[in-house]
């Protein structure tokens, strides 16, 4: 799949399924499952690094995970999330940082907020941009927490305008996070590029979930919009518990797993 196919999917009414993945194994599993897009999200700050927000994650960490996710993605386009302060400081930093992800094999980058000028510049030099509007976690301190956005008419209109500006600037898609379904519907119907929702209802052109949330690997908290399709943490804990018991009882390794 190419990023240019996404707009065709929107036109044909075909939904787009995106998931985050942060390493070779996760990206391979996502690819084998037939996912359309892989996002190396800065959510790894929370689900991999154990931080309370996405703010601490660095370019080096994002580059490392992009590199190893690309190796497993095999044909599924990988989008790299630009971490906090990697694109907000100045244009030169933003271009170099964004370009470094493409050098590692990512097909595009994602930036949070309404940044049409930066989007225009990056797309003009061949760096495809995915926007991210609504709840933008890098602005958690400004937003006063992880809350629903676009609740009143004024803020919904602001979101719609921002989406139109990003489309005009050349973004190929926009993530809508934590906005009411009817607002996401209005935005989705008002722009020609696909919207990818997370906590934005069913009317978006596609959906994204965090790998560890979808598989039930992360249970520190669970936002309303997360659906756990499995409970892999329980399975992992049980498996490791059995291993530990068998080691302590002298049952592992048995003959089957030893050389005579
Ligand atoms: O970092 C991330 O995983 C994201 C998605 C939740 C959209 O930005």
């Amino acid at each position: 799949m190419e990023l240019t196919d996404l707009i065709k999917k929107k036109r044909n009414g075909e939904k787009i399924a995106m998931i985050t993945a942060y390493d070779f194994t996760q990206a391979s599993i996502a690819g084998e499952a037939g996912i359309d897009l892989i996002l190396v999200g800065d959510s790894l700050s929370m689900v991999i690094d154990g931080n309370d927000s996405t703010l601490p994650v660095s370019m080096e960490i994002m580059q490392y995970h992009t590199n190893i996710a690309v190796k497993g993605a095999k044909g599924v386009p990988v989008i790299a999330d630009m971490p906090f302060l990697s694109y907000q400081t100045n244009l030169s930093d933003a271009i170099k940082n964004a370009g470094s992800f493409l050098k590692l094999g990512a097909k595009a980058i994602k930036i949070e907020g309404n940044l049409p000028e930066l989007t225009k510049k990056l797309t003009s030099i061949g760096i495809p941009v995915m926007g991210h509007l609504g709840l933008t976690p890098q602005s958690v301190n400004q937003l006063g927490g992880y809350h629903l956005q676009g609740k009143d008419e004024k803020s919904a209109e602001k979101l719609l305008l921002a989406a139109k500006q990003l489309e005009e600037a050349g973004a190929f898609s926009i993530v809508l996070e934590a906005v009411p379904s009817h607002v996401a519907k209005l935005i989705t119907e008002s722009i020609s590029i696909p919207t990818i929702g997370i906590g934005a209802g069913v009317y978006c052109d596609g959906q994204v979930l965090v790998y560890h949330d979808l598989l039930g690997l992360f249970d520190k908290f669970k936002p309303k919009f997360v659906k756990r399709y499995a409970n892999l943490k329980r399975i992992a804990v049980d498996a490791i518990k059995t291993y530990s018991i068998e080691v302590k009882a002298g049952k592992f390794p048995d003959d089957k797993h030893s050389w005579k």
Side-chain angles (χ1 to χ4, degrees):
M1 232 233 347
E2 299 294 330
L3 293 178
T4 46
D5 294 329
L6 294 174
I7 204 143
K8 292 181 208 150
K9 279 189 180 281
K10 173 163 180 146
R11 281 193 208 124
N12 297 337
E14 277 173 59
K15 296 273 187 182
I16 300 158
M18 178 160 103
I19 189 173
T20 67
Y22 315 102
D23 65 23
F24 171 82
T25 305
Q26 293 165 2
S28 311
I29 291 171
E32 212 174 307
I35 210 80
D36 296 309
L37 294 172
I38 289 174
L39 172 70
V40 183
D42 63 356
S43 48
L44 68 81
S45 178
M46 289 147 116
V47 299
I48 302 271
D49 290 1
N51 298 313
D52 287 334
S53 77
T54 59
L55 299 181
V57 78
S58 65
M59 265 308 289
E60 289 71 25
I61 290 174
M62 292 305 298
Q63 285 166 330
Y64 171 74
H65 285 280
T66 299
N67 185 29
I68 59 177
V70 162
K71 288 180 193 168
K74 292 202 194 76
V76 181
V78 170
I79 299 159
D81 219 357
M82 299 278 289
F84 183 54
L85 294 190
S86 69
Y87 57 101
Q88 296 93 337
T89 47
N90 61 61
L91 186 60
S92 163
D93 283 354
I95 294 173
K96 278 189 210 139
N97 288 331
S100 74
F101 287 121
L102 266 62
K103 282 177 185 282
L104 292 169
K107 297 282 185 218
I109 58 92
K110 177 168 84 56
I111 50 179
E112 293 187 5
N114 185 18
L115 300 171
E117 288 310 315
L118 177 58
T119 302
K120 208 172 186 169
K121 182 70 198 165
L122 293 175
T123 53
S124 77
I125 56 174
I127 303 176
V129 174
M130 174 177 263
H132 184 159
L133 297 172
L135 172 54
T136 46
Q138 290 175 15
S139 303
V140 61
N141 294 309
Q142 180 88 3
L143 298 173
Y146 299 100
H147 307 302
L148 188 68
Q149 301 297 307
K151 277 190 287 189
D152 53 63
E153 206 173 315
K154 205 169 151 207
S155 59
E157 270 170 18
K158 219 172 138 190
L159 278 179
L160 176 60
L161 181 64
K164 287 181 176 172
Q165 286 173 334
L166 288 180
E167 176 188 25
E168 174 75 23
F172 70 91
S173 173
I174 301 174
V175 167
L176 296 176
E177 180 163 353
V179 300
S181 303
H182 67 282
V183 176
K185 182 173 190 279
L186 177 67
I187 294 172
T188 301
E189 288 170 353
S190 306
I191 58 177
S192 63
I193 56 172
T195 56
I196 308 288
I198 176 160
V202 76
Y203 302 109
C204 294
D205 299 303
Q207 298 293 327
V208 57
L209 279 177
V210 166
Y211 188 95
H212 292 60
D213 286 336
L214 187 158
L215 292 175
L217 284 164
F218 181 79
D219 61 3
K220 223 163 132 186
F221 57 87
K222 182 182 163 304
K224 176 184 164 73
F225 56 77
V226 166
K227 179 171 177 183
R228 289 189 182 134
Y229 286 84
N231 191 346
L232 291 198
K233 180 169 175 186
R234 190 69 268 145
I235 292 172
V237 170
D238 287 348
I240 295 170
K241 202 185 272 175
T242 307
Y243 159 74
S244 174
I245 290 168
E246 287 192 2
V247 167
K248 286 167 192 170
K251 282 182 158 178
F252 178 84
D254 52 14
D255 285 352
K256 212 171 128 192
H257 297 95
S258 309
W259 282 282
K260 288 242 159 105

